[in-house]
């Protein structure tokens, strides 16, 4: 193995994102200086993206077990039991930094990568979601980033043939220098045919298959673990390039290889490429692994061992086959036109050994790479509490009708039709509810059954910014509420924890308290975490993003005929509000968009009330008692009523409240609430009273206006124009 001067390597380690003390630790673990290849391997495996060195201690707070949990965190994706011998496999991951530098390919390869995490477990992908956060619409980069990211998501998902059924899109100046692109994939598998990544025994062949390796994406994991600055555009070579048609072939080849019985273990090549896949497979199995890099299929001439190990070229897999099954693999790979080669074997050595051009170019113990990376208990300070705002602390609008129009046309609240019309939402022919249909979650039928999966993505960053603990609780509770509002039984979540630099105590405080709140909500709602991703260092020149712990929730409908949406409201129905209203205006959309303020404490989340109210609503849907339901979140009662009216093409009249001023009643964002349209309002009230659930009739459906008599009145046509026009007009320049 060739060596470099220790001083030069120490300087290179710093360029690779390793602290001086981390480099010194590598030297102690090896009892010698590493060479460049070994240093590259350590740098990516010890990056925040791969090792979770700043967050792992906190992640242990999450509940990860439950009656339906088959596989929790630690594998490529989480797995839950959905009955009848079937399982749902799902995960969410970020592609934030690549998408800011190269929005089309960054977003596209984020979609491709999250699908590989799912089909690596033996599941066929059946649904995609995305959670997008962009900067201020007035920022000079925002329009280009929106266009590129949306095109990348649609271009990849549409070509592979997996429907994009749900998601969310926010705009805020806090993301001007660092957008967020969180992608989620959901798949279906047989519960007894889940595939794992741990190598089971020494002496087994290691097979590479998929696309050839090139120089794209080198040090992508390191880039994802660093802050941005003015030179960020120079990192464009670290962004991978995706090929959705190759991904489709890879899906089919992988599932066929699994069905053949030849697979002993399997891992996709995601962040850190061949390095992470080989290290994790051998490390989880307590074994060693030897690779002959001359055998790696290569797209370019002259690739070095360092480049091959750190490349993040897309659409690649690594499998360990059972003894004597190489011919089966070769037949399948040839059928699907994929490059494939036996590039190594598992060993008993406990080492990663790399050979290239007749030389051993790396020989390092696996333990420091896989299970013994540095773990930090970062110092943190609790965020300062914000004052609770009473309704009297927030001025009423001079013109309520204009306030409603301002709210429904605000960037976060306006229709995202321009975005979701670019996504194929119905390919595979199992989508029952999607972004277009007027429901609180996407719904995808489990083919050939009466069951359906419900999926959603939720977080309210302004709540987390003001109070990470309450905001963390609310993110989980809203995901649970969205699944409940369509009649599904919530089962488990995945998450994507997006924060700034954890080495800053105030940012680490956000991380600690948000996880505390999320974990408490998961326990109270029996909603365990089964997979996820942490994305830190999301900041530019020291300015961090708003803390954004995105939650992806999955639930089950036993009979998809018994479900609810909010597009079926019609004249003659009562509007029944489930849950208590106190008029919480702190951190509300009204406060930001109408009053021009961003202050106050967010609405508190009473988890016992959340569960009681939600269980009541879900039972009413599943029993067939109600079928038109919308949860209340951003914008409060008026926003939910407006969305129901627009989705249904039916007006609504809302009653005034005797105790609260109109702005607190209409725009307050109290949690744990649902708006139900039903012809049997009195019966629903009686049932709610019997179970101790707060409920009241707050209006009636009918006509062609949205109105609160004596406060405002707006035609649906004017409301629709305000809601629909903002994004197309913005994207049109």
């Amino acid at each position: 193995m060739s060596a470099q001067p220790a001083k030069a390597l120490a300087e290179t380690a710093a360029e690779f994102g390793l602290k001086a003390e981390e480099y010194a630790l590598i030297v102690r673990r090896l009892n010698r200086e590493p060479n460049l290849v070994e240093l590259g391997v350590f740098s990516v495996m010890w990056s925040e993206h791969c090792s979770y060195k700043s967050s792992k201690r906190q992640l242990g707070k999450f509940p990860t077990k439950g009656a339906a949990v088959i596989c929790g965190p630690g594998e490529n994706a989480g797995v839950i039991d959905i009955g009848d011998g079937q399982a749902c496999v799902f995960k969410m991951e970020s592609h934030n930094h690549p998408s800011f530098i190269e929005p089309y390919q960054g977003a596209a390869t984020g979609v491709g990568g999250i699908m590989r995490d799912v089909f690596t477990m033996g599941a066929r992908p059946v649904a995609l979601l995305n959670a997008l956060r962009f900067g201020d619409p007035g920022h000079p980069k925002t329009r280009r980033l929106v266009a590129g990211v949306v095109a990348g998501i649609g271009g990849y998902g549409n070509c592979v043939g997996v429907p994009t059924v749900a998601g969310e899109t926010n705009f805020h100046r806090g993301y001007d220098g660092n957008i967020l692109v969180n992608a989620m994939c959901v798949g279906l598998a047989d519960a007894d045919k889940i595939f794992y990544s741990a190598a089971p025994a020494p002496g087994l062949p290691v097979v590479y298959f998929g696309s050839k390796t090139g120089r794209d994406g080198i040090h992508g994991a390191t880039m994802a673990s660093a802050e941005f600055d003015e030179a960020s555009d120079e990192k464009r070579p670290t962004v991978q390039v995706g090929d959705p048609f190759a991904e489709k072939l890879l899906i089919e080849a992988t599932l066929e290889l699994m069905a053949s019985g030849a697979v002993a273990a399997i891992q996709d090549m995601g962040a850190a490429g061949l390095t992470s896949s080989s290290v994790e497979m051998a490390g989880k199995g307590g074994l060693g692994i030897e690779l002959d890099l001359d055998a790696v299929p290569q797209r370019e001439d002259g690739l070095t061992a360092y480049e091959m190990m750190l490349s993040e070229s897309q659409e690649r897999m690594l499998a360990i086959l059972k003894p004597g099954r190489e011919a089966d693999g070769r037949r399948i790979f040839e059928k699907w036109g994929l490059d494939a080669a036996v590039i190594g074997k598992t060993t008993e050595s406990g080492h990663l050994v790399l050979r290239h051009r007749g030389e051993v170019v790396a020989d390092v113990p696996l333990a420091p790479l896989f299970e013994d990376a540095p773990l930090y208990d970062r110092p943190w300070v609790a965020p300062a509490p914000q004052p609770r705002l009473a309704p009297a602390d927030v001025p009423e609008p001079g013109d309520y009708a204009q306030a409603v129009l301002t709210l429904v046309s605000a960037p976060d609240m306006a229709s995202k039709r321009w975005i979701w019309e670019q996504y194929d939402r119905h390919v595979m022919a199992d989508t029952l509810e999607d972004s277009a249909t007027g429901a609180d979650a996407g719904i995808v039928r489990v083919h050939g059954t009466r069951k359906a999966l419900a999926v959603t993505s939720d977080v309210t960053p302004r709540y987390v910014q003001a109070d990470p603990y309450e905001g963390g609780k609310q993110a989980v509770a809203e995901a649970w509420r969205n699944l409940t509002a369509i009649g599904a039984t919530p089962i488990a979540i995945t998450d994507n924890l997006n924060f700034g630099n954890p080495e800053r105590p105030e940012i680490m405080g956000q991380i600690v308290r948000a996880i505390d709140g999320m974990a408490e909500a998961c326990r109270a709602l029996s909603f365990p975490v089964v997979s996820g991703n942490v994305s830190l260092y999301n900041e530019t020149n020291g300015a961090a993003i708003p803390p954004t712990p995105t939650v992806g929730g999955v639930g089950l409908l036993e009979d998809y005929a018994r479900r609810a949406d909010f597009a079926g409201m019609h004249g003659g129905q009562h509007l029944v509000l489930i849950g208590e209203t106190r008029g919480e205006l702190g951190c509300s959309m009204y406060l930001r968009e109408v009053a021009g303020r961003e202050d106050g404490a967010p609405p508190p989340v009473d988890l016992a009330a959340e569960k009681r109210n939600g269980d009541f609503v879900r039972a009413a849907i599943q029993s067939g008692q109600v079928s038109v339901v919308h949860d209340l979140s951003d914008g409060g009662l008026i926003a939910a009523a407006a969305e129901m009216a627009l989705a249904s093409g039916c007006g609504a009249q809302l009653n005034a409240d005797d105790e609260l001023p109109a702005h607190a009643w209409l725009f307050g964002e109290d949690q744990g609430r649902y708006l139900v349209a039903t012809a049997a309002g009195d019966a629903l009230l009686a049932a709610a009273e019997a179970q101790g659930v707060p409920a009241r009739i707050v209006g009636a459906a009918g006509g062609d206006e949205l109105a609160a008599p004596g406060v405002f009145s707006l035609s649906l046509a004017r409301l629709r124009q305000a809601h629909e026009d903002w994004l197309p007009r913005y994207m049109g320049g």
Side-chain angles (χ1 to χ4, degrees):
M1 291 183 287
S2 59
Q4 286 184 266
K7 181 179 179 181
L9 275 170
E11 292 172 351
T12 302
E15 294 173 8
F16 287 179
L18 291 166
K19 307 289 186 187
E21 57 271 23
E22 291 174 336
Y23 179 73
L25 182 58
I26 291 170
V27 173
R28 291 199 299 273
R29 296 272 170 83
L30 295 179
N31 201 29
R32 60 176 172 82
E33 300 282 342
N35 64 30
L36 182 64
V37 177
E38 294 167 338
L39 183 62
V41 167
F42 269 99
S43 72
V44 292
M45 292 307 298
W46 283 14
S47 70
E48 193 72 53
H49 193 81
C50 292
S51 72
Y52 298 94
K53 57 191 175 185
S54 298
S55 58
K56 186 175 283 188
R57 294 181 187 276
Q58 302 300 325
L59 297 176
K61 299 173 181 176
F62 284 139
T64 59
K65 300 183 184 303
V69 176
I70 294 174
C71 177
E75 272 293 340
N76 290 288
V79 187
I80 56 174
D81 190 335
I82 60 169
D84 306 309
Q86 295 175 305
C88 173
V89 180
F90 63 102
K91 189 182 183 184
M92 178 181 283
E93 275 204 345
S94 62
H95 237 221
N96 303 334
H97 286 49
S99 298
F100 184 76
I101 294 171
E102 215 313 301
Y104 184 95
Q105 290 295 349
T109 52
V111 174
I114 197 62
M115 281 197 285
R116 286 194 297 281
D117 280 336
V118 166
F119 69 75
T120 297
M121 302 290 291
R124 179 172 292 280
V126 297
L128 294 167
L129 299 84
N130 52 75
L132 312 177
R133 321 284 167 186
F134 296 105
D136 189 293
H139 190 275
K141 287 187 176 181
T142 299
R143 186 182 289 107
R144 178 183 65 84
L145 290 168
V146 173
V149 165
V150 171
I153 291 170
Y156 204 100
N158 296 353
C159 290
V160 174
V162 178
T164 300
V165 301
E168 53 184 337
T169 304
N170 294 156
F171 296 83
H172 190 273
R173 64 182 180 278
Y175 303 103
D176 282 352
N178 200 125
I179 65 172
L180 302 184
V181 176
N182 296 170
M184 178 174 167
C185 181
V186 180
L188 287 168
D190 291 337
D192 61 350
K193 295 176 182 174
I194 304 299
F195 287 80
Y196 299 96
S197 55
L204 299 179
V206 178
V207 176
Y208 168 122
F209 66 100
S211 297
K212 291 181 170 69
T213 293
R215 290 187 170 91
D216 51 323
I218 291 173
H219 264 297
T222 308
M223 179 192 70
S225 306
E227 299 175 37
F228 279 156
D229 54 30
E230 291 86 350
S232 294
D233 281 348
E234 297 172 8
K235 297 178 180 178
R236 197 172 301 275
T238 61
V239 177
Q240 312 92 326
V241 178
D243 181 349
F245 301 104
E247 181 97 344
K248 176 61 175 171
L249 297 175
L250 195 62
I251 293 172
E252 301 306 331
T254 301
L255 295 179
E256 185 171 337
L257 183 68
M258 291 167 167
S260 75
V263 175
I266 191 163
Q267 174 80 37
D268 75 300
M269 293 192 219
L274 188 53
T275 292
S276 63
S277 55
S278 57
V279 167
E280 289 177 12
M281 293 175 83
K284 288 177 183 177
L287 300 172
I289 191 166
E290 291 184 7
L291 301 180
D292 177 4
L293 299 182
D294 294 330
V296 172
Q298 298 167 48
R299 194 170 66 226
E300 305 173 49
D301 294 333
L303 286 179
T304 65
Y306 169 87
E307 290 171 327
M308 279 187 274
M309 290 305 293
L310 271 66
S311 168
E312 293 185 8
S313 295
Q314 296 292 286
E315 293 87 38
R316 301 180 302 159
M317 304 286 284
L318 201 63
I320 294 173
L321 300 186
K322 295 175 181 176
R325 300 302 296 271
E326 294 92 332
D328 294 321
R330 189 177 305 112
R331 172 182 54 79
I332 292 168
F333 302 139
E334 288 176 355
K335 170 186 173 180
W336 291 103
L338 297 175
D339 287 288
V342 176
I343 65 167
K345 63 181 179 180
T346 56
T347 69
E348 295 179 321
S349 70
H351 277 230
L352 171 69
V353 178
L354 307 176
R355 290 184 168 81
H356 188 223
R357 298 173 183 164
E359 292 185 17
V360 174
V361 294
D363 185 346
V364 295
L366 277 165
L369 290 173
F370 174 68
E371 61 187 2
D372 200 18
L375 284 183
Y376 298 115
D377 193 358
R378 303 274 191 201
W380 61 278
V381 294
Q386 301 300 305
R388 191 90 167 266
L389 299 182
D393 297 326
V394 180
E396 294 191 55
D399 182 335
Y400 270 89
Q402 186 56 51
V404 174
L405 292 174
T406 298
L407 191 73
V408 300
S409 63
D412 280 7
M413 300 291 289
S415 168
K416 302 305 184 295
R417 180 186 299 274
W418 184 91
I419 293 175
W420 49 252
E421 280 189 340
Q422 298 185 50
Y423 303 152
D424 190 333
R425 307 181 307 280
H426 296 278
V427 64
M428 303 179 81
D430 282 318
T431 303
L432 300 176
E433 302 280 0
D434 63 77
S435 305
T437 56
D440 283 309
I443 304 178
V444 178
R445 179 176 55 187
V446 178
H447 200 75
T449 75
R450 300 294 300 173
K451 297 184 299 187
L453 297 173
V455 294
T456 186
S457 167
D458 295 286
V459 66
T460 308
R462 63 185 186 277
Y463 292 176
V464 190
Q465 180 87 59
D467 186 336
Y469 174 72
E470 287 295 333
K473 284 164 61 178
Q474 193 273 343
V476 173
E478 188 175 348
W480 188 88
R481 195 185 318 137
N482 279 334
L483 299 174
T484 291
I486 55 96
T489 301
I491 298 178
I493 71 169
T494 183
D495 60 52
N496 205 143
L497 307 180
N498 307 274
F499 292 90
N501 183 347
E503 297 168 51
R504 295 166 54 193
E506 66 273 20
I507 300 298
M508 196 65 210
Q510 293 176 346
I511 296 169
V512 170
R513 293 302 286 153
I515 289 175
D516 286 343
M518 294 173 70
E520 182 178 337
C522 288
R523 286 189 294 270
L525 300 174
S526 300
F527 207 24
V529 179
V530 297
S531 61
N533 172 243
V534 173
S535 175
L536 305 182
Y537 296 93
N538 288 291
E539 49 185 81
T540 299
N541 295 326
I545 60 161
T548 311
T550 312
V551 172
V554 175
L556 180 68
L557 286 158
E558 294 284 357
D559 180 357
Y560 57 73
R562 294 290 180 96
R563 70 179 191 271
D565 58 28
F566 55 80
M569 186 171 71
H570 59 79
Q573 290 182 320
H574 296 109
L575 295 181
V576 179
L577 180 61
I578 307 294
E580 185 180 358
T581 300
R582 295 177 301 274
E584 296 283 351
L585 289 170
C587 293
S588 66
M589 289 297 294
Y590 171 84
L591 189 70
R592 190 177 84 186
E593 300 297 333
V594 179
R597 294 165 47 184
E598 296 186 52
D599 63 309
V605 180
D606 180 336
L607 292 168
E610 187 79 59
K611 188 170 191 316
R612 178 196 64 213
N613 298 351
D615 288 349
F616 171 76
V617 169
R618 188 186 317 104
I621 297 169
Q622 292 178 349
S623 68
Q625 187 177 0
V626 299
S627 62
V628 182
V629 179
H630 196 357
D631 88 304
L632 270 65
S633 54
D634 285 351
L637 175 60
I638 192 63
E643 289 170 356
M644 292 172 74
L646 292 175
S648 305
C650 174
Q653 291 73 48
L654 297 173
N655 303 333
D657 183 84
D658 294 334
E659 299 178 2
L660 289 172
H663 70 317
W665 169 242
L666 294 173
F667 299 108
E669 295 183 4
D670 305 79
Q671 297 296 294
R673 298 187 299 162
Y674 303 80
L675 190 58
V676 177
T678 174
D682 291 339
L684 190 63
L685 293 184
E689 183 179 9
Q691 297 186 36
V693 172
R696 59 191 292 192
I697 293 176
V698 296
D704 57 5
E705 292 182 334
L706 178 66
V711 181
F712 80 92
S713 178
L714 284 167
S715 71
L716 290 189
R718 190 176 179 199
L719 195 69
R720 188 179 306 280
Q721 182 179 21
H723 185 58
E724 294 278 356
D725 280 2
W726 180 79
L727 189 54
R729 189 172 66 249
Y730 172 70
M731 294 308 298

